[in-house]
Amino acid sequence: IAMTLSFKTRESIKTALAMTIALGIALRMDWDHTMWAGLAVAMVSLNTVGQSLNKAALRMVGTFAAIVVAFVLIALFSQQRWMFVTGLTLWLGICTYMMGGARHQYFWHVCGFVCVIVCVDAGPDAVNAFETAMMRAQQTGLGILVYSLVSLFLWPASSGPEFRKTAIELAELQRALFRADFDLATGNGEAAVAAEHEDAEATVRAAAGPLLQAAQTDDYQISEQYGEWSRYQALTAELAETLERWRQSLSNVATLDLARIIPGFIDCGTEVEARLAAVHAMLAGQAPGHQLADCDLATNRELVARLSHFQRAGVTVCRSRLYRLDELSRELFDCVSHLHGFATEPPAVPARLPPTRELPVLDPDRIVSVIRLIAMLWLAYLAYIFVNGLPAGTTLISLAVSIGMVLATTPQLSVSVLYKPLATAVPIGAVASLFVMPHLSTFFGLGVLIFGFTFFVCYVYAAPQQMVGRAAGLAFFLVLTAIDNDQSYNFLAVANTAMLLPFLMLVLGIAANIPVSARAEHNFLRLVRRFFESCEYLTATLAEGPDQPLSRRQRLALEFHSREVKTLPAKLAGWAKFMGPDALKGNTPDQVKGLIASLRGIGRSVAELREDYARRYSPYLKKELGPDFAEWRLAVREGFHRLAANPSVAGRDAFRGTVDAITARIEQRVATTLNNTDGVSVSDQEAMDLYKLLGAYHGMSEELVDYAGLSADIDWVKWGEERFA
C-alpha cells in the first residue's frame, strides 16, 4: 500500500491518525483542554522519525521550562498586572531573540508561547496555575507519545537514508563545482555554469546539517559514527568556502596561462577532481578505484620573473588556494574511506588551531524580531484590558504570541500565509460544531470527523512554507469545536471564537511593520546599507595596525561588523526569494541574484584583507610601502562610505578609473622597493606575504568595480518607494 500512496498522503494519514488517537485517549481519561494533545501532534509532525522525535523532545523540555517560569511570574506578580506583563514581556523577548539563533529554535518557541498560555489561562489563582501547568504537560506528553508511536509503526521514514542520499548528491555537486571552477582557471569555462553549481551545492549542503542531526536519533549506524560524519560535514563546508575563494582569485589571473606558469597545475586539478569523484563513489557504496597522488605546484621561476607584481600576487593567491583544495580533498577522501570501511586505519586528523571564541554581540535583525513580538503581545494585552466585550480575549493573547513568534523571527513570511488555512478552518469548524457534532453519539463518528478534517488540512497545506498556516488552521478547528466529554453547543461561543479571527489578523498585521517595514524591497535596501557600513568600519580599523591592542569595546565592534559582513549576504538572499514582480519593480531576479553574489564576493575580500593584513611584515617593506597602502585603503573606505549612504551611487567607470590609477602607482612603488632594497634582505616568505596582501587589496578593488557595474542596472529608486498591495 505504501508504494501506491504518495509521500504527502502517507504523512497526512499519519498525522490525522495520531490526532484522532490522542484526542480519543484524552477524552477517555476525562482530561480537560483535550485540544492541547491535538496541538502537540500538529506541531511535532515532520517528514522523518528522527526529525519528529527531536522536535518532540524540544517541545517536552520547553514545556517544562515554560511552566517553571510561569510559576515564578505568578508567584511574584499575581496581584500586579503591569509588573506581571512586564516580566512576561522580558521572558518572551529572551525567547524570541534566542529563537532567531542557529540552535534549538523550537525549544525557545515552546518556552515562550507555553508560558503565555499557562500565565493567561491560570490567572492569579496559584492552584489553578498548577492544575493548568500539569494538564498542559501531560497533554503535550500524550500527543508526543502518540505521534512517536504512529510514526514508528506506520510507514516509518528514517532520516538515515535521506541523509546518505543528500551526502551523495552533495559529493557530486562539489565535484561538478570544482570542475566548473577549474575550467574557468584554464579559460575553458563559463561563469554562469559555476554560479549555477554553486547555488545548487549551497542548497544541498544546507539541507544536510538538519538531516544529520535527525539521523543521529533514528539511525543506529550514523549514531555510532556521528563524530566522523560531523568531521565530514565540516570538511565539505570548508571545501565549499575554499572553492569560493579560489574562484574569486581567478579574476586576477584571467589573462595568464597558469598551465605554463605552474607546470603541475593541470595534473593537480585532475587529481583533486579524481579524489572528489572517488568520494562520491564511496558514498554510493562503490570502491574508490583511485590511488592518491601528490600534487606539485612549483612555479616556473623564469616565467614568474616576467610578470608584473600584481600578476605575481594573483598567481601567489591562486596557488595557495589550490594548495588548500589539495589538502582538503585528501582529508575528505581519507574521512569517507574510513567511514565506509575502505580504509582500516582511521584517518590522520591534521592539527588545527582551536577556533577563536566569538564575543557575545547582538544581532540587529533578532532585536527587530523581539520588538515586533513585544508589539504583538502588548497590542493583544491592551485590547484585552481596555476593549469591552472583546471575544475570547485570553485566546487572542495566546494565539498572537504563539503565531507571532514564528512571524517575528521569519519576517519574510507575510501574515497573508494564514488567510487560506484559517478561512478553511473557521467555517468548517463552525459547521462541525453547530450542525454535525450534536448528532454524534459515539467517538467513532467524532473520530471520523477529526481524522477527515486533519487529513484534509495536512494534505492541502503540505508544503514546508505552509507549516505556520497549517498549524494555525488545526488550532482554530480545535478551538471552535471545543471537543470535551461535557460538550456544549452554543452559537454565541462559536461566533465569538470566529470573530476573534479579524482581531488576530489586525494585531499581527500592525505589529508586522514595527519597527521597520515588512516590505521585502525595503528590507533589502536596509540590509545592503548595513553591509557597506560594516565594510567601511572593517576597512577603517586596518589603519590601527595588527599589533595595536584593542579595548573590549573595540573588539566587540570588530566582532559585530565581521559577523555582519559574513551573514548579511545570506539574509539578503532570504529576502530576495520573497520579492515578487511588484517588489522587483522592473528589476529581474537574475539581477538581484548577481547583486547578492557580488556582495558575497566583497565580504570575502574584506575578510581576506584583514587576514593578510594581520601578518607580520618586513619592517623595511612596511616602512616603504605603508603610505601607498594607506592611500589605497582610504580610497576603498571612501567607496564603502558612499555606498553605505546610497547603494546606487556607484559608477563602474569612476571606480575603474580610480582602481587603475592606484594600481599603476602601487605597481611602480612595489617594483622600486623590491628592486632597490638598499642592502636590506627580503626573504622569499616576506615577498610572498606581500604578494598575498597585494592580491587581497586588488581583489577587493575588482569586486567593487564589478558591483558598480551591476548596481548601475538596478532601479534603486523604485525599491525605496511606498506601495500598496
Side-chain angles (χ1 to χ4, degrees):
I1 298 176
M3 296 299 294
T4 60
L5 297 178
S6 66
F7 176 80
K8 183 167 67 170
T9 302
R10 295 198 304 269
E11 292 303 308
S12 299
I13 290 174
K14 287 164 64 174
T15 304
L17 182 61
M19 178 83 74
T20 306
I21 295 174
L23 291 174
I25 293 175
L27 291 172
R28 179 65 178 174
M29 301 297 292
D30 199 21
W31 291 347
D32 293 329
H33 301 292
T34 57
M35 72 172 182
W36 287 345
L39 287 177
V41 171
M43 296 295 182
V44 302
S45 57
L46 288 173
N47 292 342
T48 67
V49 175
Q51 290 174 313
S52 297
L53 291 180
N54 286 346
K55 194 172 184 182
L58 293 176
R59 186 177 181 89
M60 202 69 228
V61 176
T63 297
F64 283 116
I67 287 171
V68 172
V69 175
F71 283 171
V72 171
L73 291 175
I74 292 173
L76 293 176
F77 309 116
S78 59
Q79 301 299 322
Q80 305 173 49
R81 65 183 182 186
W82 298 116
M83 290 297 295
F84 177 82
V85 75
T86 300
L88 187 59
T89 300
L90 292 175
W91 172 246
L92 285 176
I94 294 172
C95 293
T96 305
Y97 186 87
M98 297 303 296
M99 189 180 168
R103 292 175 58 84
H104 307 318
Q105 296 97 331
Y106 189 63
F107 165 79
W108 291 105
H109 183 206
V110 174
C111 283
F113 80 80
V114 171
C115 182
V116 171
I117 289 174
V118 174
C119 288
V120 172
D121 287 358
D125 186 353
V127 175
N128 190 24
F130 181 80
E131 291 178 351
T132 301
M134 292 303 100
M135 185 62 65
R136 178 80 193 190
Q138 69 183 24
Q139 297 270 28
T140 298
L142 172 64
I144 290 172
L145 176 63
V146 169
Y147 185 81
S148 300
L149 292 175
V150 170
S151 62
L152 284 171
F153 291 108
L154 185 63
W155 301 312
S158 172
S159 303
E162 187 67 22
F163 170 72
R164 293 185 180 90
K165 178 182 176 183
T166 303
I168 294 171
E169 184 180 0
L170 176 61
E172 173 57 25
L173 285 171
Q174 290 198 325
R175 186 208 61 78
L177 179 58
F178 175 80
R179 179 74 256 177
D181 290 345
F182 190 73
D183 287 342
L184 283 175
T186 56
N188 300 318
E190 297 181 3
V193 175
E196 183 180 348
H197 286 312
E198 181 184 15
D199 291 342
E201 187 273 343
T203 301
V204 174
R205 182 160 44 85
L211 283 173
L212 177 59
Q213 295 293 330
Q216 184 189 14
T217 302
D218 63 14
D219 190 291
Y220 176 77
Q221 186 178 9
I222 289 181
S223 178
E224 288 291 303
Q225 299 176 314
Y226 182 73
E228 294 176 80
W229 278 115
S230 297
R231 181 167 177 263
Y232 158 81
Q233 190 177 16
L235 287 172
T236 57
E238 189 174 355
L239 179 68
E241 181 180 357
T242 306
L243 279 171
E244 289 180 4
R245 292 190 173 197
W246 187 50
R247 181 169 56 257
Q248 186 176 351
S249 68
L250 294 177
S251 61
N252 297 327
V253 293
T255 59
L256 302 179
D257 187 352
L258 292 176
R260 293 185 61 209
I261 297 171
I262 308 174
F265 183 78
I266 300 296
D267 291 338
C268 185
T270 304
E271 171 65 18
V272 171
E273 184 180 5
R275 293 174 190 171
L276 297 178
V279 167
H280 174 264
M282 288 186 288
L283 288 171
Q286 304 169 12
H290 177 75
Q291 295 295 325
L292 295 180
D294 294 330
C295 287
D296 182 8
L297 292 176
T299 57
N300 185 322
R301 291 182 175 271
E302 182 180 349
L303 292 179
V304 170
R306 301 175 188 172
L307 302 177
S308 70
H309 290 287
F310 274 107
Q311 289 175 329
R312 295 181 197 179
V315 170
T316 299
V317 174
C318 177
R319 182 166 162 259
S320 66
R321 297 282 181 261
L322 190 54
Y323 260 128
R324 186 60 189 143
L325 288 172
D326 170 36
E327 295 171 353
L328 287 171
S329 61
R330 180 182 290 271
E331 291 180 40
L332 195 59
F333 181 94
D334 292 339
C335 177
V336 177
S337 296
H338 185 258
L339 266 171
H340 284 73
F342 295 107
T344 55
E345 296 294 328
V349 180
R352 285 188 171 90
L353 294 175
T356 56
R357 184 178 179 182
E358 294 185 355
L359 296 174
V361 293
L362 296 177
D363 186 332
D365 296 304
R366 290 161 72 178
I367 293 176
V368 168
S369 299
V370 171
I371 296 173
R372 186 167 288 145
L373 190 277
I374 290 174
M376 293 177 185
L377 171 65
W378 277 87
L379 284 172
Y381 187 76
L382 293 175
Y384 172 64
I385 294 294
F386 294 108
V387 177
N388 292 327
L390 181 69
T394 57
T395 305
L396 173 64
I397 299 174
S398 301
L399 288 175
V401 169
S402 59
I403 298 174
M405 289 183 74
V406 177
L407 295 178
T409 51
T410 52
Q412 297 89 349
L413 289 177
S414 171
V415 179
S416 61
V417 301
L418 302 174
Y419 293 166
K420 288 184 178 179
L422 291 180
T424 302
V426 170
I428 293 179
V431 170
S433 178
L434 296 176
F435 300 105
V436 178
M437 291 179 62
H439 300 284
L440 302 178
S441 57
T442 64
F443 181 74
F444 177 80
L446 179 62
V448 171
L449 174 66
I450 297 170
F451 183 94
F453 178 79
T454 305
F455 175 85
F456 172 76
V457 171
C458 293
Y459 187 87
V460 174
Y461 305 104
Q465 59 269 28
Q466 296 174 313
M467 185 179 66
V468 179
R470 181 172 69 242
L474 291 174
F476 253 87
F477 175 79
L478 293 171
V479 170
L480 282 166
T481 53
I483 299 171
D484 197 3
N485 281 321
D486 298 324
Q487 192 77 40
S488 60
Y489 306 103
N490 189 326
F491 173 79
L492 289 178
V494 174
N496 283 336
T497 304
M499 288 178 62
L500 173 64
L501 181 59
F503 288 97
L504 177 63
M505 293 296 102
L506 181 63
V507 167
L508 297 178
I510 293 174
N513 291 281
I514 299 175
V516 295
S517 170
R519 297 290 188 195
E521 65 272 24
H522 293 174
N523 283 280
F524 195 93
L525 275 172
R526 179 172 59 86
L527 295 184
V528 169
R529 292 191 179 100
R530 267 175 44 194
F531 176 84
F532 285 120
E533 287 172 0
S534 293
C535 288
E536 179 190 0
Y537 179 87
L538 293 176
T539 308
T541 53
L542 289 174
E544 299 173 1
D547 300 325
Q548 183 73 21
L550 301 177
S551 65
R552 179 173 176 80
R553 179 176 175 275
Q554 290 173 317
R555 286 188 288 115
L556 285 172
L558 185 61
E559 179 70 26
F560 170 79
H561 290 289
S562 298
R563 193 179 64 183
E564 287 279 273
V565 169
K566 182 179 180 180
T567 60
L568 280 176
K571 294 179 180 179
L572 286 166
W575 280 107
K577 294 178 182 178
F578 290 84
M579 294 176 69
D582 292 337
L584 288 172
K585 283 183 173 286
N587 301 310
T588 66
D590 288 340
Q591 286 178 309
V592 177
K593 185 178 177 181
L595 195 71
I596 295 171
S598 178
L599 292 173
R600 190 181 294 114
I602 292 173
R604 286 195 300 266
S605 297
V606 171
E608 289 178 13
L609 178 61
R610 293 197 63 87
E611 291 173 7
D612 293 328
Y613 194 82
R615 304 177 191 274
R616 294 184 180 276
Y617 293 94
S618 163
Y620 170 76
L621 295 178
K622 193 172 183 179
K623 176 184 176 182
E624 293 295 319
L625 298 174
D628 300 284
F629 281 122
E631 180 185 359
W632 199 346
R633 183 175 59 250
L634 184 62
V636 172
R637 178 189 174 186
E638 177 62 25
F640 284 139
H641 179 75
R642 290 163 54 198
L643 291 170
N646 183 3
S648 65
V649 78
R652 184 183 179 88
D653 294 339
F655 272 80
R656 170 54 67 194
T658 302
V659 169
D660 288 345
I662 295 177
T663 300
R665 190 160 52 252
I666 293 290
E667 172 76 23
Q668 183 178 4
R669 286 286 300 136
V670 171
T672 303
T673 301
L674 292 180
N675 294 333
N676 303 290
T677 58
D678 297 330
V680 178
S681 175
V682 177
S683 67
D684 290 342
Q685 183 60 48
E686 288 174 336
M688 184 176 294
D689 289 341
L690 173 65
Y691 283 138
K692 287 183 178 179
L693 180 62
L694 198 63
Y697 267 113
H698 190 255
M700 184 171 62
S701 301
E702 290 296 326
E703 290 290 340
L704 274 173
V705 172
D706 290 342
Y707 172 83
L710 293 168
S711 174
D713 297 330
I714 298 291
D715 191 345
W716 297 90
V717 175
K718 288 186 177 180
W719 275 359
E721 295 175 349
E722 296 293 339
R723 65 182 177 88
F724 296 93

